[in-house]
C-alpha cells in the first residue's frame, strides 16, 4: 500500500472522521463502521485533506484535466482545498467549479460557482463518499449541459465496497457502468482493514478479532459483487 494511503487512514482516525461501533446508515443498514467527512473542520485538516486528494488524483489521472468539480455542498470545500494542494504539489493550476442548489438570477447568474466550464475542458469530479451514486445522477447532467466537456473521472475518499440498494455492484462500479466514468477512491475499506487489523495504532488495536468478525459479517450481507 502506498505511504500516503496509510497516512490517510491514520488521518481519518485522528480527525474522528472514520469511526467503528454500531451505526444505522441512511439506507437503514446496520454498519460496524461509519465515515463522516463533515468532521474535517480546521484549516490544518482541510489542507492535509486537499493534499491526499491531490496525490490520489495525480496517481490516477495525472495532469490530464483542467477543472475539479465539487458537487454542493460538501464537494465545494473539497474542490477548493484540492485545487490549492494541486498547485502547491504539482505546479499546475486547476480551476475549481461547483454547483448551486438553487439557480442564481442576479449578479453572478447561473447554477455554477467558481470557474465556468468551456468546450474542451476535461473535468474530474470530487466527492467525500459515494454509497448509492445518487449525487452523480444529479451532477452528470449539470456538467454535460455546460458544453463539449469530457468527464475524466470521479475521486472519493473512501470506497465502502458495498452493494447499492438496487444492484449487487458497488456504487463506484455502478457509476462506471452507467456513465463511463472511472470512479476511484483514495482508500478502500479493504485498505483500512489491512492497515489496522490486529496491528496497534497509538498503542491500541482498533480492529481486533471481534470487530473484524463484525466487518466480515457486514460484507457477507452487503458486500459488492465484483
Amino acid at each position: 500500500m502506498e505511504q500516503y494511503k496509510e497516512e490517510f487512514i491514520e488521518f481519518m482516525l485522528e480527525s474522528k472522521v472514520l469511526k467503528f461501533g454500531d451505526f444505522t446508515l441512511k439506507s437503514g443498514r446496520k454498519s460496524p463502521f461509519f465515515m463522516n467527512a463533515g468532521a474535517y473542520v480546521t484549516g490544518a485538516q482541510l489542507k492535509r485533506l486537499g493534499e491526499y486528494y491531490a496525490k490520489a488524483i495525480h496517481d490516477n489521472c495525472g495532469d490530464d484535466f483542467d477543472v475539479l468539480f465539487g458537487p454542493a455542498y460538501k464537494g465545494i470545500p473539497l474542490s477548493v482545498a484540492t485545487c490549492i494542494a494541486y498547485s502547491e504539489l504539482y505546479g499546475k493550476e486547476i480551476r475549481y467549479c461547483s454547483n448551486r442548489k438553487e439557480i442564481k438570477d442576479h449578479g453572478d447568474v447561473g447554477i455554477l460557482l467558481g470557474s465556468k466550464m468551456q468546450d474542451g475542458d476535461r473535468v474530474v469530479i470530487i466527492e467525500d463518499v459515494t454509497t448509492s451514486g445518487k449525487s452523480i445522477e444529479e451532477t452528470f447532467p449539470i456538467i454535460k449541459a455546460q458544453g463539449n466537456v469530457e468527464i475524466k473521472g470521479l475521486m472519493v475518499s473512501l470506497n465502502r465496497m458495498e452493494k447499492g440498494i438496487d444492484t449487487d455492484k458497488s456504487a463506484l462500479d455502478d457509476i462506471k457502468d452507467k456513465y463511463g466514468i472511472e470512479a476511484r477512491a483514495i482508500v478502500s475499506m479493504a485498505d483500512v482493514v489491512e492497515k489496522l487489523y490486529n496491528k496497534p495504532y497509538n498503542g491500541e488495536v482498533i480492529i481486533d478479532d471481534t470487530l473484524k468478525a463484525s466487518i466480515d459479517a457486514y460484507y457477507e450481507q452487503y458486500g459488492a459483487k465484483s
Side-chain angles (χ1 to χ4, degrees):
M1 191 190 314
E2 294 89 334
Q3 184 176 347
Y4 77 84
K5 293 187 176 185
E6 294 200 35
E7 292 174 356
F8 183 66
I9 293 167
E10 294 177 358
F11 175 56
M12 286 194 290
L13 295 172
E14 292 166 11
S15 304
K16 296 181 170 51
V17 166
L18 179 62
K19 298 182 178 181
F20 297 94
D22 296 306
F23 305 95
T24 301
L25 306 180
K26 189 175 181 180
S27 62
R29 295 173 180 173
K30 306 289 187 182
S31 174
F33 58 91
F34 180 71
M35 182 197 160
N36 173 26
Y40 296 119
V41 292
T42 71
Q45 287 174 335
L46 290 170
K47 181 178 186 297
R48 289 182 64 189
L49 181 61
E51 290 169 352
Y52 289 123
Y53 266 106
K55 289 175 182 177
I57 291 171
H58 188 264
D59 269 6
N60 288 280
C61 303
D63 292 330
D64 191 26
F65 69 106
D66 311 289
V67 177
L68 200 54
F69 187 92
Y73 289 103
K74 287 183 179 179
I76 296 174
L78 292 180
S79 60
V80 172
T82 304
C83 279
I84 294 170
Y86 214 93
S87 175
E88 292 181 346
L89 290 173
Y90 304 111
K92 177 165 182 175
E93 295 299 338
I94 302 297
R95 292 144 42 213
Y96 104 88
C97 181
S98 297
N99 64 297
R100 295 182 171 98
K101 290 291 189 179
E102 302 83 19
I103 298 175
K104 190 177 180 184
D105 59 5
H106 61 282
D108 183 19
V109 299
I111 198 170
L112 299 182
L113 292 167
S115 172
K116 305 301 182 188
M117 281 183 270
Q118 308 158 8
D119 285 349
D121 274 344
R122 300 158 300 174
V123 181
V124 172
I125 304 169
I126 183 170
E127 289 201 275
D128 56 346
V129 65
T130 297
T131 52
S132 68
K134 182 172 176 55
S135 59
I136 295 300
E137 186 178 314
E138 298 169 353
T139 300
F140 190 85
I142 291 173
I143 296 175
K144 284 297 189 180
Q146 305 310 309
N148 182 24
V149 300
E150 178 186 1
I151 301 178
K152 299 288 293 186
L154 164 70
M155 182 63 67
V156 302
S157 59
L158 177 68
N159 180 2
R160 287 184 58 98
M161 300 173 57
E162 62 187 79
K163 62 186 178 183
I165 302 301
D166 302 314
T167 176
D168 284 339
K169 301 174 185 174
S170 72
L172 298 187
D173 286 340
D174 197 37
I175 287 168
K176 181 177 180 179
D177 289 347
K178 284 182 178 177
Y179 302 102
I181 300 173
E182 288 291 342
R184 302 181 177 93
I186 302 175
V187 294
S188 68
M189 273 307 297
D191 294 328
V192 172
V193 171
E194 178 186 338
K195 166 75 175 172
L196 299 176
Y197 177 46
N198 275 345
K199 297 174 184 174
Y201 169 71
N202 282 350
E204 175 190 4
V205 173
I206 295 174
I207 301 182
D208 57 14
D209 289 338
T210 301
L211 180 53
K212 176 65 161 52
S214 296
I215 293 172
D216 289 345
Y218 184 78
Y219 280 115
E220 184 69 27
Q221 185 171 7
Y222 298 118
K225 304 295 189 292
S226 57

